[in-house]
Amino acid sequence: MTTGTAVQSEDFSTLTDGTPVRRWTLERGGTRVRVLTYGAVVQSVVVPGRDGARAEVALGLPDVTAYETYTGPYFGAVVGRYANRIGGGSFVLDGRTHRVTANEGRNTLHGGGRGFDKRLWDAAEVPDGVRLSLVAEDGEEGFPGRLAVSVTYTLDEDGALRIAYRATTDAPTVVNLTNHTYWNLAGADSGSALGHELRLAAGRITPVDGESIPTGELLPVEGTRFDFREPKPVGPGYDVNYVLEETGGEPAAELYDPASGRLMSVRTTEPGIQLYTADHLGDGPFVPCAGIALETQHFPDSPNRPEFPGTVLRPGEEFASTTVYGFSVR
């Protein structure tokens, strides 16, 4: 007889203004995941290694005060309304220019100054998990349309973490949602994650300029350090979007730690995945490159790049995206 996911919730801590934050714990098939109502943050993912010992493999912080303090790394958060970057802090939609909050020089990163990572989400238990939801009002951070968003975290029978995003709007807008967890399969407290072996089903990247804004090209990875079509160790210096290929049901990405034997697979409905090696960590509790982010997404700056897959959402439509992080040993 198959049993479902064990789901519990508890008081976690409070924001600096006294607002309480809840923590939800999901456990199934050897996987334990903890999610916060602040930022829809994945605070913890614990999975077994080759020897059966379970370890924390997601970079998380001990309390909400720490998340309020270390906002730049977006530890484990859902980011939006537009994940990644919008060049020049503006875009044109249906002939109208929208200026959105510039929070990285003149550009907009991960939704602006107060994106979804800094919001308190409502939470409700669902079969095998928890659904978090919020409403972003028309004009928040400059984005048009009142956007209703939900992110559902569930554990599959084999302990895989399934993240399902949904959104609707009352006016034309742009949407790009992702989760910003940093992974270290050797253990979150083990230091640098460099040396993990990575495979990506991607033959092209979207190269960027000096401000990390895509040039519009689709650059083949063959013969470059960006080629992960065959597994190889990850080095430093990656913050780039990969153009995912059709995989015939195989994972879009696999990350492997040879020492522990932990293997994480990534399956997604999204057309891209951002590889970020977190070289800029170090001002907080983690060393540089302590975790590797694999952010499933639409491409950066798509609102200004009509040649990229579209990110416009209109009334009567539903934004729907699913990413599954699977865990096993080798």
Side-chain angles (χ1 to χ4, degrees):
M1 180 178 178
T2 301
T3 58
T5 302
V7 181
Q8 294 181 321
S9 67
E10 61 185 333
D11 291 331
F12 178 59
S13 60
T14 60
L15 299 172
T16 51
D17 66 3
T19 304
V21 172
R22 300 280 290 174
R23 178 167 71 179
W24 290 74
T25 299
L26 318 179
E27 193 151 9
R28 187 176 191 180
T31 303
R32 188 193 72 196
V33 174
R34 284 179 166 159
V35 176
L36 307 181
T37 53
Y38 178 73
V41 163
V42 173
Q43 185 209 14
S44 168
V45 179
V46 174
V47 295
R50 188 188 295 119
D51 61 0
R54 298 209 302 174
E56 176 63 71
V57 297
L59 271 55
L61 302 176
D63 52 46
V64 171
T65 300
Y67 284 99
E68 289 184 291
T69 301
Y70 301 114
T71 57
Y74 302 92
F75 288 112
V78 168
V79 291
R81 157 179 330 198
Y82 197 93
N84 215 305
R85 294 170 175 88
I86 295 177
S90 69
F91 60 92
V92 177
L93 177 57
D94 294 342
R96 179 183 173 189
T97 298
H98 297 276
R99 302 199 178 279
V100 289
T101 303
N103 61 324
E104 188 185 59
R106 67 188 194 96
N107 304 313
T108 302
L109 174 65
H110 292 329
R114 187 171 183 262
F116 294 172
D117 59 295
K118 300 175 184 67
R119 294 281 303 275
L120 193 68
W121 296 61
D122 295 324
E125 184 173 348
V126 297
D128 297 321
V130 59
R131 176 171 295 131
L132 303 174
S133 59
L134 61 74
V135 172
E137 298 295 344
D138 177 40
E140 278 190 20
E141 302 299 314
F143 289 96
R146 186 177 190 268
L147 191 76
V149 182
S150 72
V151 179
T152 304
Y153 294 103
T154 55
L155 292 182
D156 292 347
E157 186 174 351
D158 60 358
L161 172 60
R162 180 177 297 268
I163 308 177
Y165 307 86
R166 299 290 185 272
T168 57
T169 183
D170 67 355
T173 191
V174 295
V175 180
N176 189 23
L177 303 176
T178 193
N179 177 274
H180 209 291
T181 296
Y182 297 89
W183 304 98
N184 188 327
L185 301 181
D189 59 354
S190 66
S192 173
L194 299 182
H196 279 41
E197 295 177 4
L198 176 65
R199 183 192 63 78
L200 283 169
R204 295 174 296 173
I205 60 170
T206 54
V208 297
D209 62 20
E211 294 182 290
S212 297
I213 303 300
T215 63
E217 302 169 89
L218 299 180
L219 181 69
V221 300
E222 186 172 1
T224 75
R225 69 185 187 94
F226 298 103
D227 192 349
F228 286 95
R229 290 174 296 174
E230 295 295 328
K232 71 176 184 181
V234 181
Y238 290 92
D239 189 9
V240 64
N241 172 67
Y242 281 79
V243 180
L244 294 177
E245 300 169 347
E246 293 292 332
T247 64
E250 293 299 309
E254 290 182 323
L255 188 65
Y256 176 61
D257 172 44
S260 68
R262 295 186 183 94
L263 175 70
M264 185 180 77
S265 64
V266 184
R267 289 178 166 85
T268 186
T269 58
E270 288 295 291
I273 190 166
Q274 185 88 4
L275 168 62
Y276 177 43
T277 49
D279 298 55
H280 299 102
L281 291 183
D283 293 335
F286 298 105
V287 301
C289 305
I292 295 170
L294 294 168
E295 307 159 60
T296 59
Q297 59 175 11
H298 272 61
F299 303 170
D301 203 32
S302 290
N304 292 313
R305 290 288 176 185
E307 67 271 30
F308 286 175
T311 56
V312 175
L313 182 68
R314 299 184 181 279
E317 300 175 344
E318 181 184 52
F319 171 90
S321 172
T322 301
T323 294
V324 180
Y325 294 94
F327 304 97
S328 60
V329 295
R330 180 185 293 166

